Amino acid sequence: MHLIMILNSLAVAWWLRSAWNQPQGSWSLRWRRSLFLFLFPPLLIFMTAIAVLFMGPQGQMGGMYTGSISYLLALIYLAFFAILCIKLAFQGWQSVESARNCPLVNVGDRRARLLQTGALFAGQIGFWQPELVVSQGLVQTLSPAHLESVLAHEQGHHYYRDTFWFFWLGWVRSCTAWLPNTEPLWEELLALRELRADGYAALQVDPLVLAESLLLVVSTSLVSSEICCAALGSSGVERLEQRVEALLAPPEATPEAQLQSWHGFLLAFLPLLTVIFHS
């Protein structure tokens, strides 16, 4: 019976992910749909594995005997999740330590770590309280107005705690790379993250100046790791046109997360209810 539960959760997860296509519409609609399809399938599998593990390798459920194979599969899968989390946390810690080795400087009215490179780079690096990291090339190349627009964008990442939340989303990405459309959904979430930070910055600086900064920085981005890093060019050159068009269009309100938008995720916890039918 436990094996049937696991197979059903895998089938539902695969079906949901396969149903994804490039969404159209507002930022809010795209964000809710992409986040649901990215998170719900692995959450359903994760809750099913926890339920199987909690019920144990012996007993009955619905008049059917349970075996140790499904219990072992759930245990292996959860252990795999834990190992990947530890691995990503260690890589993130290395990124943070590397950033902290850079000297602290004043950039405008902000404190930042200065990266000794001629490439154009600006990013938030860290977990819940990330640090601003800028390159020497960025400070020397951009005008004060363009530099301020870049810093406003990075302040948006800090405001939304993007480094923290996308660390966990990156963990989900690593754990479910075998599911269909994992990479397209991840790229979509990255693009929407950057559009949100762009929108935050556009309320403080001239959107046209920020668009010009994007053209300069994104084309020379040196982001090699997305773990605990939210950089101006992390959405890639292929998303540049979309971001520039969004900046030049009338501003779109970025709604705060609402409780009702999370109701759908409660369905992923249904496997936990099966524990009461186990004996």
Side-chain angles (χ1 to χ4, degrees):
M1 188 63 181
H2 290 173
L3 190 58
I4 294 176
M5 286 177 56
I6 294 174
L7 292 176
N8 283 338
S9 66
L10 290 173
V12 171
W14 193 276
W15 172 72
L16 282 173
R17 279 291 187 85
S18 299
W20 185 83
N21 50 43
Q22 191 67 34
Q24 303 294 327
S26 66
W27 181 96
S28 177
L29 178 64
R30 289 171 60 188
W31 176 263
R32 288 199 303 269
R33 186 166 186 269
S34 298
L35 188 63
F36 178 81
L37 291 178
F38 186 81
L39 275 183
F40 184 87
L43 186 61
L44 177 65
I45 297 171
F46 186 69
M47 290 298 111
T48 302
I50 289 179
V52 171
L53 197 67
F54 188 81
M55 289 184 283
Q58 297 179 345
Q60 291 186 15
M61 182 177 174
M64 300 176 62
Y65 284 97
T66 59
S68 58
I69 295 178
S70 55
Y71 179 83
L72 185 61
L73 287 174
L75 187 61
I76 292 173
Y77 192 71
L78 291 175
F80 175 69
F81 262 47
I83 291 171
L84 277 179
C85 184
I86 293 171
K87 176 186 174 183
L88 291 177
F90 178 71
Q91 292 174 346
W93 175 79
Q94 287 181 314
S95 298
V96 172
E97 287 299 303
S98 177
R100 287 175 178 169
N101 289 331
C102 298
L104 269 172
V105 296
N106 289 319
V107 181
D109 59 349
R110 297 174 176 86
R111 296 283 284 174
R113 299 283 181 177
L114 186 64
L115 196 61
Q116 302 293 332
T117 176
L120 305 184
F121 174 81
Q124 295 282 348
I125 297 180
F127 288 90
W128 185 255
Q129 288 289 353
E131 288 193 273
L132 176 63
V133 178
V134 297
S135 67
Q136 192 171 27
L138 184 86
V139 175
Q140 294 175 345
T141 302
L142 298 188
S143 67
H146 288 95
L147 185 59
E148 179 60 28
S149 69
V150 171
L151 298 180
H153 172 94
E154 293 306 322
Q155 183 60 35
H157 285 309
H158 187 278
Y159 176 79
Y160 291 110
R161 308 290 181 182
D162 284 335
T163 53
F164 177 80
W165 296 117
F166 272 79
F167 169 79
W168 297 109
L169 290 176
W171 174 49
V172 172
R173 171 201 181 195
S174 299
C175 294
T176 58
W178 49 274
L179 282 175
N181 290 319
T182 295
E183 284 305 309
L185 277 167
W186 172 253
E187 293 298 328
E188 174 71 3
L189 289 173
L190 280 181
L192 293 171
R193 180 188 76 176
E194 296 307 310
L195 285 171
R196 181 171 65 178
D198 289 342
Y200 179 93
L203 297 176
Q204 306 175 51
V205 299
D206 186 347
L208 182 59
V209 174
L210 178 57
E212 292 171 349
S213 301
L214 281 175
L215 294 173
L216 291 170
V217 177
V218 173
S219 59
T220 59
S221 176
L222 49 75
V223 176
S224 59
S225 174
E226 295 158 345
I227 302 173
C228 303
C229 177
L232 182 69
S234 57
S235 65
V237 177
E238 64 278 3
R239 301 279 188 170
L240 180 59
E241 182 179 353
Q242 181 183 157
R243 292 175 63 183
V244 171
E245 288 178 353
L247 283 170
L248 299 182
E252 177 185 342
T254 303
E256 297 293 334
Q258 296 179 348
L259 184 61
Q260 57 265 32
S261 65
W262 294 94
H263 283 171
F265 288 97
L266 295 177
L267 295 175
F269 292 86
L270 286 178
L272 296 179
L273 296 179
T274 60
V275 174
I276 63 177
F277 300 106
H278 185 269
S279 60

